[in-house]
Amino acid sequence: MLMTLDLPPSPIVPTIDLAAPGVRHGFLRLPYSRDDSAWGSVMIPITVVANGEGPTALLTGGNHGDEYEGPIALFDLARRLRPEEVSGRVIIVPAMNYPAFRAGTRTSPIDKGNLNRTFPGRPDGTVTQKIADFFQRHLLPMADIVLDFHSGGRTLDFVPFAAAHILPDKAQEAASFAAVAAFGAPYSMKMLEIDAVGMYDTAAEEQGKIFVTTELGGGGTSTANTVGIARRGVANVLRHAGILSGEPEPAPTRWLDMPSADCFTFAEHDGLMEPLVDLGMPVEQGDVVARIHSVDRTGTEPVDLRAGLSGILAARHFPGLVKSGDCAAVVGTV
């Protein structure tokens, strides 16, 4: 449910009419006074394509600035989508945390804010809090269905999957998983978050929205394969919602589950991580999935990291050096 706190207006001003029909390209302009621009602003690109009656889809990428499949697919969609193809409205924000996206970092270089841990935000807070507040109070209430693209960024790598969460409202949960199936990623995940406080996902779900997210790769880059999955997936979700005509393009998917915290294996030592299982490969509970080699001196035995349950390796740490506390591996059950 949308909170109705007595908050001041958002300082963010859209440079386009978000309700008007047709195609409009513009910005969410956030005033930001700084050393190199006393009366400057952060300009977050936004496109709205609207035509007639129908649902509203809110499509977002760049929630973390070092994840690229979403921005590529959404900048492309914003360029190509025409009103005559749409029944309803599509709101496209290819790079939500625009300062982080321009810096190529997970968090904002301005305030170190992790946008996906900042909701509901504050209109009188930091730059990242102001962005979260605008989505919380202005964009999310407009939407019927929300698709937020993620990948592993510079520190994780995933098998490419679309996902939704187990929810108290089973009708909302079923609608979200139906949208995941329509997305058509190689894998589809019933997802468990280890740190759900302040997430965009949670904000959307608490407002009753159908919410789909993804993890489409990682390593701080993208591939032709993962970008293709993103492009096809966003079109499929829009067809599934009835905003684009036609049926979703069929694609085989393998359903995975994250039933408990045993899915996660964390490093308890610093060092050089040697993967022993590649992404997508089967593992059994207790299998050694990686080793951490000491880099402080030679002649020491490596530390084994073991799977907490059986399934496939769905994610791993990226790149090679690991620190105590890092997520080293994630197993998804089939």
Side-chain angles (χ1 to χ4, degrees):
M1 181 178 294
L2 182 63
M3 292 181 294
T4 56
L5 300 178
D6 186 17
L7 294 173
S10 172
I12 293 178
V13 177
T15 65
I16 58 174
D17 185 345
L18 303 182
V23 177
R24 297 179 185 271
H25 304 287
F27 301 93
L28 304 175
R29 186 176 68 82
L30 169 57
Y32 170 50
S33 179
R34 54 193 189 270
D35 288 342
D36 65 342
S37 186
W39 284 6
S41 297
V42 174
M43 305 290 280
I44 303 170
I46 184 171
T47 291
V48 178
V49 184
N51 180 46
E53 297 297 319
T56 292
L58 175 57
L59 310 175
T60 53
N63 195 328
H64 295 130
D66 59 352
E67 302 171 2
Y68 296 109
E69 287 84 359
I72 292 171
L74 294 181
F75 274 114
D76 183 56
L77 181 67
R79 175 179 59 85
R80 293 186 297 102
L81 192 61
R82 298 290 179 261
E84 57 269 22
E85 300 174 300
V86 169
S87 297
R89 178 171 54 178
V90 182
I91 302 172
I92 306 170
V93 185
M96 293 173 70
N97 194 344
Y98 195 66
F101 173 72
R102 291 301 300 263
T105 54
R106 181 175 178 85
T107 62
S108 173
I110 296 172
D111 55 23
K112 299 301 179 184
N114 180 344
L115 181 58
N116 210 32
R117 300 295 186 274
T118 304
F119 283 81
R122 291 190 60 85
D124 53 357
T126 66
V127 165
T128 304
Q129 288 174 330
K130 291 172 181 175
I131 295 171
D133 170 73
F134 188 83
F135 275 83
Q136 175 84 28
R137 293 196 292 157
H138 296 275
L139 292 184
L140 281 176
M142 296 179 180
D144 299 292
I145 185 169
V146 181
L147 171 58
D148 185 40
F149 281 102
H150 286 265
S151 60
R154 293 190 293 179
T155 65
L156 288 170
D157 196 11
F158 288 88
V159 296
F161 65 77
H165 298 99
I166 303 298
L167 299 172
D169 184 328
K170 294 306 173 184
Q172 181 188 9
E173 176 189 293
S176 295
F177 282 122
V180 168
F183 185 100
Y187 294 88
S188 297
M189 180 76 78
K190 296 180 179 180
M191 199 166 187
L192 169 71
E193 298 289 350
I194 60 172
D195 180 20
V197 176
M199 291 185 69
Y200 181 48
D201 314 41
T202 306
E205 289 160 356
E206 287 180 345
Q207 292 188 32
K209 311 303 179 182
I210 299 170
F211 185 86
V212 177
T213 188
T214 71
E215 298 289 358
L216 293 181
T221 188
S222 60
T223 68
N225 179 52
T226 56
V227 170
I229 293 167
R231 281 196 173 111
R232 184 181 67 245
V234 67
N236 278 346
V237 167
L238 292 176
R239 294 185 188 109
H240 172 75
I243 296 172
L244 294 183
S245 63
E247 296 297 319
E249 180 182 334
T253 191
R254 188 179 187 188
W255 281 89
L256 302 175
D257 195 5
M258 296 171 67
S260 73
D262 290 335
C263 295
F264 300 92
T265 301
F266 292 93
E268 297 183 2
H269 300 79
D270 295 357
L272 177 64
M273 195 177 95
E274 174 194 2
L276 299 180
V277 179
D278 287 331
L279 290 176
M281 291 183 62
V283 297
E284 296 296 326
Q285 184 177 14
D287 282 357
V288 179
V289 294
R291 292 193 178 106
I292 300 177
H293 297 269
S294 172
V295 294
D296 296 324
R297 61 182 299 155
T298 57
T300 60
E301 292 294 323
V303 176
D304 290 342
L305 300 179
R306 297 181 181 274
L309 43 69
S310 300
I312 69 160
L313 189 70
R316 70 176 186 93
H317 180 76
F318 192 100
L321 293 177
V322 68
K323 299 185 295 295
S324 179
D326 285 347
C327 180
V330 181
V331 173
T333 61
V334 178

